[in-house]
Structure formats: structure tokens, C-alpha cells
Amino acid sequence: MNNAIAHSSTVWSLSDAKAGNRRQADALAHALGQPFRDWTLQPQAPWQWLAPRRWPGAGRAFGEDFARAAPPRLAIGCGRQAALATRLLRERGARAVQILDPRIATDHWDLVIAPEHDRLRGDNVISLLGSLHPVDDLWLAAARRDFDSFSALPGPRTALLLGGASAHARFDDALYESVLVQVEAIVRGEGGSLMATASRRTPASVRQHLRERLSALPGVVWRGEEDGANPYAGLLGWADRIVCTADSVNMISEAAATWAPVFVAGVERVDGRPRRFLASVLERGRVRPLDQAPDPYPVTPLRETARVAAQVQARLRW
């Protein structure tokens, strides 16, 4: 590394506008224990179309501010656009860590962090089960503090996390209805409470039905910004049980990082790489299908972020 290079800051966390990508990059940057700068990339044509492949003039792919900025000592990126940005920053003297399979040779980065279900291998590849995220005991304690009103809800508290259909998840109204029927029966039978939240990919009709179907139960139902701030962190912090749909590796990884039993709905409707992830966490017993009795079981939280951060520090001698 050229010590004569002027660096603008120690660490940058780079991602596009996708919340899941930013969350992973920020989680790793935070776990490294140093201040970092968030950089939301605004990719421009034509370079954005084939990122992370490097077309002529790629230095202008993210605008003049990016092109002129002194590079950081360490650039952490997540997602395809960030893979081009971290590659460019490495050429300018930064160390570069890329999260998720860049789909090209990994030697364009110092390290590549990829989930096991991507089946990516290499001398500079760090594998993990699931995804990077901030959920640990301190995060959960902060969530309980910020949503302390949930402590008054009758137990057991069931958190319901609804996702949506994707290229690998074939969800329809029948699946959502089945989940709502099962969860409603569980909460009524136990005399507990429900804490439910939808995601950006949950269909609007399902979000509306969520409130109509479950509003009579003790608890909270969040359908979107019209209901105020998203209580997602509070749900994870206060849950005695978590029920979630099987579409999101990120969502399941964060649920599995808590101390609550996790029950997953729609496993049979998921294929491809997410299905391989589901097979791993089901085999390890950290999550169970919702079609089983949703009884408590011993839990060891699944937390990979600290382990990955330690490997990054060791390999880069950070």
C-alpha cells in the first residue's frame, strides 16, 4: 500500500439505495470498531449497466464528488454497484472489502465476503451463514429500551415478520392467509399478544388485510409509514417467538440472531440460493417450519458479524 496517498477518512461504507445492502455494509463497518462514512452511490449510465465490470471512463460512474474524493483507508461495499465502487477505490490506494458474490474474479478486491449458499470459494473469500447485520445482545437491549411500551403486552409475545414474493419465492394470497390463520390461532389459544410488521415487498392488499384480520388481538400491527415509525427492532427485542416468511435471507438471519425460537412459513415455495440457506438453518435446528407445533425450544443465537469482522481484521492486519 502506498503510504504517500492522502486518505479522506478511515472507513467508507458504500451501497446503493437498497436497504439490505446498506445494512450489511454498515454492520461490518460498525463491527470493526472505527468511525465510518456512509456513502449512498448514485450510479450513472452506461457504467451502472455492467457493474462491477470496468468500462472505459468508469471513474465517472458515481459522479464528480466520488471521482475527486481522496480514498479511504478501507472501503466496504455491498451489492453490484458497490462492487464497482470498491474496485475503483482499490485502484486509488484503498483496501477493499466486497460483500456478496461480485460474479467476476475475486482478485479485484482484497477480501470478498459471501454467504455459504453462494458457494463462492477462493483464497481471499470469507464465507458466512446468512447475512451480516447488527443484531447482538447490545442491539436487542437498545431495542427493548426504545420500545419499552411493548413490555406491557401480555405474553407470550409473537412477532410476525411478513416479506413478499421474489424471483426465488413464489408467494400468493393463499400463503399469506394461511400464515395469518395460524398466527391468529396461536395468539388466541395462548392468550398472548401479537407484534406484526410488513416489508416493502408485502403486497398492499395483504398489508390492509393484516390490520383487518389481526387488529382485535392485543399488540401492534405495522403496515407501512402511514402507521408511524417501523417497530421492527422492538419486535425482535421483545419477541418470545418469531414467525416469518421464508423469502428473505436478511430477515431470517436477523430473527435467528435473537434468543427467540423462529418458525418459518413458505419454505416449500422458495428455491435457488435462498433455499440452500434455509436448508442449512433448518438442519442446524436454529429455525423450524411453521407447520410444526410452535412450541419453545433451546436457542443458540446465530451471529456471524463479529466472527467475520475478526477475520477481516486479521487478514488485513487492520
Side-chain angles (χ1 to χ4, degrees):
M1 182 174 172
N2 184 354
N3 292 326
I5 295 172
H7 294 277
S8 63
S9 62
T10 302
V11 181
W12 286 1
S13 170
L14 302 109
S15 60
D16 53 19
K18 296 179 180 178
N21 288 342
R22 178 176 180 177
R23 194 166 178 83
Q24 292 204 65
D26 283 1
L28 179 57
H30 179 77
L32 291 175
Q34 297 189 25
F36 62 93
R37 172 182 177 177
D38 271 316
W39 196 301
T40 301
L41 300 168
Q42 297 179 334
Q44 302 178 20
W47 303 283
Q48 70 184 93
W49 298 332
L50 288 180
R53 291 170 176 81
R54 196 185 191 290
W55 278 22
R60 302 191 300 276
F62 304 105
E64 289 301 317
D65 288 345
F66 181 89
R68 294 177 180 175
R73 288 182 58 209
L74 176 64
I76 299 171
C78 184
R80 186 169 61 87
Q81 299 300 330
L84 175 57
T86 51
R87 179 180 178 182
L88 293 171
L89 289 170
R90 187 175 187 238
E91 294 173 1
R92 291 159 55 186
R95 307 299 295 275
V97 176
Q98 177 58 30
I99 303 168
L100 300 181
D101 184 353
R103 306 297 181 87
I104 61 174
T106 62
D107 56 9
H108 296 293
W109 298 269
D110 292 287
L111 292 173
V112 172
I113 300 168
E116 290 179 6
H117 57 266
D118 277 354
R119 296 176 176 172
L120 183 66
R121 300 292 181 267
D123 292 340
N124 66 334
V125 175
I126 298 174
S127 295
L128 76 156
L129 180 58
S131 62
L132 298 170
H133 55 72
V135 181
D136 59 16
D137 286 342
L138 287 176
W139 189 93
L140 291 169
R144 290 191 292 272
R145 178 199 65 213
D146 293 343
F147 293 90
D148 61 349
S149 62
F150 291 179
S151 65
L153 295 174
R157 305 178 191 92
T158 297
L160 173 61
L161 314 177
L162 289 181
S166 70
H168 294 289
R170 304 176 305 279
F171 288 1
D172 55 21
D173 289 346
L175 172 71
Y176 292 112
E177 181 65 17
S178 173
V179 173
L180 297 184
V181 167
Q182 290 180 74
V183 170
E184 182 180 20
I186 292 167
V187 174
R188 289 190 183 281
E190 294 176 335
S193 57
L194 174 71
M195 306 178 296
T197 183
S199 77
R200 294 178 179 85
R201 289 188 292 108
T202 308
S205 59
V206 174
R207 293 199 300 268
Q208 180 61 31
H209 187 51
L210 185 67
R211 172 63 58 82
E212 296 170 352
R213 183 64 184 262
L214 303 176
S215 60
L217 297 174
V220 59
V221 176
W222 189 87
R223 299 167 301 167
E225 294 179 356
E226 67 272 18
D227 291 331
N230 190 341
Y232 173 78
L235 269 61
L236 296 188
W238 287 104
D240 297 307
R241 171 199 294 119
I242 298 174
V243 175
C244 58
T245 51
D247 53 291
S248 171
V249 172
N250 290 351
M251 184 168 68
I252 296 172
S253 295
E254 296 190 4
T258 71
W259 290 92
V262 178
F263 298 89
V264 182
V267 174
E268 71 286 351
R269 294 171 178 252
V270 177
D271 58 22
R273 291 175 295 161
R275 183 59 180 265
R276 294 199 291 268
F277 164 70
L278 288 167
S280 293
V281 289
L282 287 166
E283 181 180 356
R284 295 180 185 217
R286 178 57 191 97
V287 308
R288 295 183 178 180
L290 184 58
D291 55 13
Q292 297 181 8
D295 298 326
Y297 59 83
V299 167
T300 299
L302 174 62
R303 297 173 181 172
E304 291 278 68
T305 305
R307 180 186 67 82
V308 169
Q311 287 201 35
V312 170
Q313 289 173 321
R315 293 202 191 190
L316 297 183
R317 299 181 180 178
W318 188 253

